[in-house]
Amino acid sequence: MAPDPRSMEWQTDGELSATDLHDLVNRLQRVDADANSSELARMSRVVDDAA
């Protein structure tokens, strides 16, 4: 089940908090096609590096 956007922590600049973004990317990786999985993995690493 996808997270409810209303329950996510949004920063004042309009970005998701690092934790919520990481959780969202992980959920998307579980359901997305293999073709997009590598891009989602890259996004996850960027999030991990920023945290």
Side-chain angles (χ1 to χ4, degrees), residues 1 4 7 9 12 14 16 18 20-21 25-27 30 35 38-41 43-45 47-48 50-51:
M1 175 177 227
D4 182 353
S7 68
E9 182 181 338
T12 56
L16 279 173
D20 283 338
L21 182 57
V25 168
N26 284 336
R27 287 177 189 231
R30 284 186 236 139
S38 62
E39 179 64 13
L40 289 169
M43 289 174 60
S44 181
R45 284 191 300 276
V47 170
D48 289 341

Side-chain angles (χ1 to χ4, degrees), residues 6-42:
R6 295 170 293 183
S7 68
M8 294 177 166
E9 182 181 338
W10 296 91
Q11 299 175 3
T12 56
D13 62 3
E15 297 289 326
L16 279 173
S17 70
T19 302
D20 283 338
L21 182 57
H22 183 266
D23 291 345
L24 179 60
V25 168
N26 284 336
R27 287 177 189 231
L28 288 171
Q29 278 183 305
R30 284 186 236 139
V31 298
D32 210 346
D34 289 338
N36 296 327
S37 186
S38 62
E39 179 64 13
L40 289 169
R42 185 192 68 77

